[in-house]
Amino acid sequence: MNEPPTTTPTLDKPPPAAQTEPRGSRRFWAARRVPAAVVAVLLVVGAGLLLYDVAAVRAHHPAMHWRRALARQLAGRQLDDAWVLAGAGAAVALGLWLIVLAATPGQRGLLPMRRPHPDVRAAIRREAAALLLRDRALDVSGVRSVRVRMRRTKAEVRAVSHFRDLDDVRADLALTLNDAIRGLGLTRAPTLSLRVARPGRKG
């Protein structure tokens, strides 16, 4: 008897690609509406006054008092005068401040989180992250009170223990808090700064 020909099974669909690791989110940029509005209002008011005064002079009206006084001051003062240097320093400081605002993202209160999908961006507020760490720390046996200060690169935890050995409490807190920090899913996990002490004596 002839044996039936063997066939090699084929896949109708290619095997699913391995999931890529979550990527980190960059810092969120602040809108900075207040500084932008202040600068826009000052520029509009200054340009409007200057254009009005120039148009008035062209129409054979006297220039405004502030422009005449400013022209006399600029004509009479030397470049090394204290008021000239102070005005130049203020202008430079204002310009540097605007450059810093334009070049930095801001939103320091938001901690970027890892991105499970390229179209998804998320962040958690520092206050919320600090509250979560505080609640996790209070679940540790022997902890009486906790203060948490969340920074971009460091989580400062100050705990008070009213019983148990301090080394045991510190070890349990370090384990719990490091696990909680990893659970936050932050792009850049902050380092833990932990201090455990006894409550101060009353009186």
Side-chain angles (χ1 to χ4, degrees):
M1 295 179 64
N2 295 330
E3 296 182 356
T6 59
T7 58
T8 303
T10 58
L11 297 176
D12 295 335
K13 296 182 180 180
Q19 294 184 354
T20 59
E21 292 293 331
R23 298 175 57 189
S25 298
R26 294 183 178 180
R27 288 179 58 187
F28 287 75
W29 283 76
R32 293 193 172 101
R33 296 182 178 88
V34 174
V38 170
V39 172
V41 168
L42 291 178
L43 289 177
V44 169
V45 171
L49 284 175
L50 185 60
L51 289 176
Y52 175 80
D53 193 47
V54 170
V57 172
R58 292 290 185 178
H60 307 289
H61 292 286
M64 299 180 70
H65 175 73
W66 66 269
R67 194 157 75 96
R68 296 198 303 269
L70 180 61
R72 286 195 302 268
Q73 292 291 336
L74 293 177
R77 293 184 181 274
Q78 301 295 328
L79 293 179
D80 58 351
D81 187 81
W83 286 102
V84 175
L85 295 178
V92 170
L94 178 62
L96 290 177
W97 178 62
L98 294 176
I99 291 175
V100 169
L101 289 181
T104 54
Q107 294 285 13
R108 299 181 63 85
L110 294 178
L111 300 175
M113 304 175 68
R114 291 192 297 270
R115 304 174 67 174
H117 190 274
D119 297 332
V120 177
R121 293 185 65 197
I124 184 171
R125 291 196 172 275
R126 291 190 190 183
E127 296 83 0
L131 183 61
L132 188 144
L133 295 183
R134 185 183 69 87
D135 292 343
R136 291 291 301 273
L138 288 175
D139 291 338
V140 175
S141 177
V143 175
R144 177 178 179 181
S145 62
V146 181
R147 288 188 306 169
V148 180
R149 186 176 183 181
M150 200 72 178
R151 299 176 180 270
R152 285 180 57 200
T153 59
K154 182 184 294 186
E156 298 178 356
V157 181
R158 303 295 178 261
V160 175
S161 176
H162 57 298
F163 70 92
R164 292 185 68 197
D165 184 73
L166 290 183
D167 292 336
D168 294 341
V169 176
R170 187 180 296 107
D172 290 347
L173 275 174
L175 183 63
T176 301
L177 293 176
N178 282 319
D179 181 68
I181 290 174
R182 287 191 298 269
L184 291 175
L186 300 178
T187 298
R188 184 177 181 181
T191 58
L192 177 63
S193 175
L194 177 61
R195 188 175 67 184
V196 183
R198 293 294 187 195
R201 295 183 178 179
K202 297 182 179 179

